[in-house]
Amino acid sequence: MPIRPIDLQTLLMQLGQVGREQSAAKEGAALQASIQGAALQRRQVESKEAVRAPEEPKEGAGPVAERQGAGSGSPERRRDEGGEASDSGAEDEVIRDPQLGNKIDLSG
């Protein structure tokens, strides 16, 4: 089937319309990708700025409970209750100087 001149004339007149449709199809895909990217970025910004409630720890240390019995209190208190203090362990000796902290050097 040969191409007649009238067919060529019709095709040439519609060539501009075909070009616009193809470019719109290509730009549509790029436009859709940019819209999705903008929406994703907006959600990320909103999640960063949102105030969240603190999460409860699932694992970790429990609450601190106070001990009852002979193990509580200072060494002086243990000494009063049980006679002599037990020296089992590495209790540090505290030395106090009565002159420490009484004098102030104003000369700089």
Side-chain angles (χ1 to χ4, degrees):
M1 179 179 206
I3 297 178
R4 294 180 286 188
I6 190 78
D7 292 338
L8 285 175
Q9 185 179 2
T10 306
L11 287 174
L12 288 175
M13 289 174 52
Q14 293 180 355
L15 191 62
Q17 178 67 23
V18 171
R20 280 194 294 259
E21 288 176 3
Q22 288 180 350
S23 68
K26 288 180 184 177
E27 290 176 3
L31 182 63
Q32 184 68 21
S34 68
I35 289 172
Q36 288 177 351
L40 178 65
Q41 184 178 10
R42 187 184 69 232
R43 282 187 296 225
Q44 288 175 347
V45 168
E46 287 175 358
S47 68
K48 285 181 185 176
E49 293 177 355
V51 177
R52 294 185 205 103
E55 296 178 7
E56 292 294 325
K58 296 180 177 114
E59 296 180 9
V64 177
E66 293 185 26
R67 291 187 227 169
Q68 302 293 328
S72 64
S74 64
E76 292 84 18
R77 183 176 177 187
R78 278 188 252 146
R79 196 175 294 130
D80 292 341
E81 291 175 357
E84 194 171 315
S86 62
D87 290 334
S88 63
E91 291 187 27
D92 294 334
E93 183 179 344
V94 179
I95 299 173
R96 296 209 165 99
D97 185 11
Q99 298 295 322
L100 187 65
N102 291 335
K103 298 178 181 172
I104 301 173
D105 184 17
L106 297 177
S107 63

